[in-house]
Amino acid sequence: MNRLCRIIVAFHLVAAIIAGPAAADVLLTPEEISRTLTHGPWPPAVGPDPSNRVSGNAAAIAFGEQLFHDPDLSRDGSISCATCHVPARGFSEDRPRAMGRVALDRNTPSLMNVGTHRWFGWAGDSDNLWAQSLLPILNADELASDAQSLKTMMADGPYASTYAQLFGPSSDHASETVLVNIAKALAAYKETLITGQTSFDRFRDALELGDMARAADYPESAQRGLQIFLGKGNCAFCHTGPAFTNGEFHDAGVPYFIEPGRVDPGRHGGLKALLESPFTLDGAFTDDPGKRGAWAVRNVRRTHLDFGKFRVPSLRGASRTAPYMHDGSLPDLESVVAHYNTIDMERLHADGEAILMPLNLSDDEVDDLLAFLRSLSDDQPVAD
Ligand code: HEC
Ligand code: HEC
């Protein structure tokens, strides 16, 4: 090698070291960049919930956390919220369908970022977080408690003084009010469960600042996966915005038979529960005199198209919350991508879902899409 060649090689080596090992580029077009920006910023600025007067209150958050872990909230001291919503698993669990006193029909959803939703539960049985929190307390297959037992529990014993400080003495309250107040403390705690910034967010924020050198740190494989997510995969049609969900209900082609002869009605059943519930934002238990947000429950209507639709899950933190879908039928993210890749058109019954069709992605494209999905979960998991 002559001297000039050596200098050129040395120059390239130095340049490569300065540019970093990958020396990657930003692959996205300007249009893809502007669409990427809509998936942030993260974490979102969420104010206190006006329907819950203890939302954001530090004492209520601590109280809610204690209640969440306390099996004494259940009828026989055997089950707490954390039995199914396991903190180390993103507040979900690894079994396909939840196990209460009997096997339940659905997978335990993650409670991470739960405060960002508009409807709660896979089928949207509630329009607010505290109303959703009292369902498992009362459900005979879960905590199986009742309002009167909770009132007795708050009257004396370890929680009496905290309850009284937050809400006033429980003896002044109807048992149903005690139940709602406990649910509001639980909700205050759950609102604090927010996932951190991921490598996707650092990419997205760098794009917003026009810092292409920093943006190029995001692996090219994840960038190609993001391009599929936005483009030919059409995933962003439903998985929109900072939490990667439009917050509404769709049929993603998951079989709806729970067992032969029994189907999960999905949103159709959720709307029935919602419209019969006294605990909506339009009801007497909201703390917001202006009833903000109640327009939604006032305007929903039930149609046959709601059968078999489920709420679009957030994709943040998804790497930690296998198995997937409302029935936990897909064991890992590879299976989810394979499901969309080869989706069964016969199975899709809702007229509006013509958006989904087999994607026929190559093996490399599948790997890229998975790299992108995993980049939504590489923040530090919340410790147990
Ligand atoms: C036996 C297991 C089990 C227990 C115990 C349990 N949950 Fe759940 N949780 C579930 C399942 C399953 C769902 C999905 C329900 C549905 O969609 O119908 C769920 C859904 C939720 C949701 C809705 C999440 C979302 O993304 O909209 C909230 C909030 C929630 N649970 C809070 C609680 C609280 C608070 C407790 C304790 C009082 C609790 N859960 C106890 C299994 C459980
Ligand atoms: C028509 C709307 C729609 C489109 C398009 C869509 N999804 Fe979904 N996605 C959903 C719904 C609804 C569910 C829940 C389905 C169920 O439980 O039955 C879901 C579930 C998921 C889950 C499981 C999350 C969990 O916690 O269980 C992942 C991962 C996912 N989708 C990724 C994708 C990807 C990747 C694409 C593109 C290839 C995509 N989705 C396209 C609506 C959609």
Side-chain angles (χ1 to χ4, degrees):
M1 203 186 279
N2 67 33
R3 204 163 153 250
L4 182 63
C5 271
R6 261 183 237 147
I7 290 169
I8 290 170
V9 169
F11 175 81
H12 280 292
L13 267 177
V14 170
I17 289 163
I18 292 170
D25 282 325
V26 171
L27 306 177
L28 275 58
T29 65
E31 202 248 325
E32 286 167 337
I33 290 176
S34 73
R35 291 183 62 199
T36 300
L37 298 187
T38 66
H39 293 287
W42 192 265
V46 257
D49 173 358
S51 74
N52 177 359
R53 68 194 180 290
V54 297
S55 168
N57 173 323
I61 293 167
F63 184 42
E65 181 168 12
Q66 279 181 299
L67 293 168
F68 190 85
H69 292 276
D70 190 350
D72 284 341
L73 214 57
S74 69
R75 186 187 64 213
D76 51 2
S78 66
I79 299 183
S80 75
C81 310
T83 303
C84 300
H85 298 282
V86 182
R89 296 198 56 89
F91 291 82
S92 67
E93 61 180 335
D94 56 6
R95 63 174 83 230
R97 294 185 193 169
M99 179 58 77
R101 291 168 200 280
V102 297
L104 305 186
D105 291 342
R106 295 184 183 150
N107 174 253
T108 303
S110 164
L111 297 182
M112 295 308 296
N113 309 316
V114 70
T116 62
H117 293 304
R118 179 191 304 134
W119 306 111
F120 297 84
W122 284 106
D125 290 18
S126 313
D127 66 352
N128 69 79
L129 187 52
W130 48 269
Q132 185 71 21
S133 308
L134 55 80
L135 298 179
I137 300 178
L138 301 179
N139 187 333
D141 295 334
E142 296 179 64
L143 276 64
S145 190
D146 58 83
Q148 190 51 51
S149 309
L150 294 180
K151 181 166 172 170
T152 310
M153 187 178 173
M154 294 299 136
D156 57 353
Y159 293 133
S161 70
T162 314
Y163 181 95
Q165 275 159 24
L166 283 166
F167 302 107
S170 60
S171 52
D172 292 353
H173 296 154
S175 57
E176 209 173 36
T177 305
V178 175
L179 169 70
V180 170
N181 286 339
I182 285 176
K184 285 178 177 168
L186 284 165
Y189 165 58
K190 284 179 286 173
E191 283 163 6
T192 66
L193 306 176
I194 295 172
T195 53
Q197 277 231 327
T198 67
S199 57
F200 167 79
D201 297 304
R202 289 185 284 278
F203 174 63
R204 184 250 166 230
D205 292 354
L207 291 178
E208 187 170 49
L209 294 170
D211 185 345
M212 292 303 163
R214 228 184 88 214
D217 287 346
Y218 188 55
E220 287 192 353
S221 163
Q223 293 191 48
R224 287 191 300 268
L226 168 59
Q227 289 176 309
I228 295 168
F229 188 86
L230 298 171
K232 95 189 224 197
N234 221 348
C235 315
F237 182 82
C238 297
H239 296 281
T240 59
F244 291 87
T245 166
N246 62 11
E248 290 297 329
F249 302 84
H250 292 271
D251 177 1
V254 178
Y256 40 70
F257 278 97
I258 299 165
E259 59 199 12
R262 200 159 66 89
V263 298
D264 188 328
R267 182 58 171 154
H268 198 263
L271 277 169
K272 183 167 189 292
L274 175 80
L275 295 170
E276 286 169 359
S277 169
F279 304 114
T280 69
L281 296 179
D282 202 22
F285 292 94
T286 172
D287 294 324
D288 181 9
K291 293 193 166 176
R292 266 164 287 176
W295 59 268
V297 63
R298 282 180 204 142
N299 288 297
V300 282
R301 300 282 175 274
R302 215 150 65 110
T303 78
H304 75 280
L305 286 178
D306 296 312
F307 263 109
K309 286 190 181 180
F310 295 89
R311 195 187 67 202
V312 178
S314 169
L315 301 180
R316 286 189 176 270
S319 298
R320 288 194 288 280
T321 62
Y324 301 103
M325 305 311 201
H326 71 274
D327 58 356
S329 56
L330 299 179
D332 45 35
L333 286 175
E334 285 84 350
S335 324
V336 177
V337 171
H339 163 81
Y340 285 112
N341 211 19
T342 56
I343 199 153
D344 178 2
M345 299 301 282
E346 296 293 307
R347 179 26 218 103
L348 284 172
H349 71 293
D351 305 350
E353 312 298 354
I355 193 81
L356 286 169
M357 54 187 70
L359 299 174
N360 301 317
L361 300 177
S362 70
D363 290 351
D364 285 348
E365 288 173 317
V366 165
D367 288 346
D368 291 340
L369 187 52
L370 287 166
F372 163 68
L373 290 174
R374 294 200 175 102
S375 80
L376 303 175
S377 306
D378 57 9
D379 57 320
Q380 291 303 309
V382 182
D384 199 340

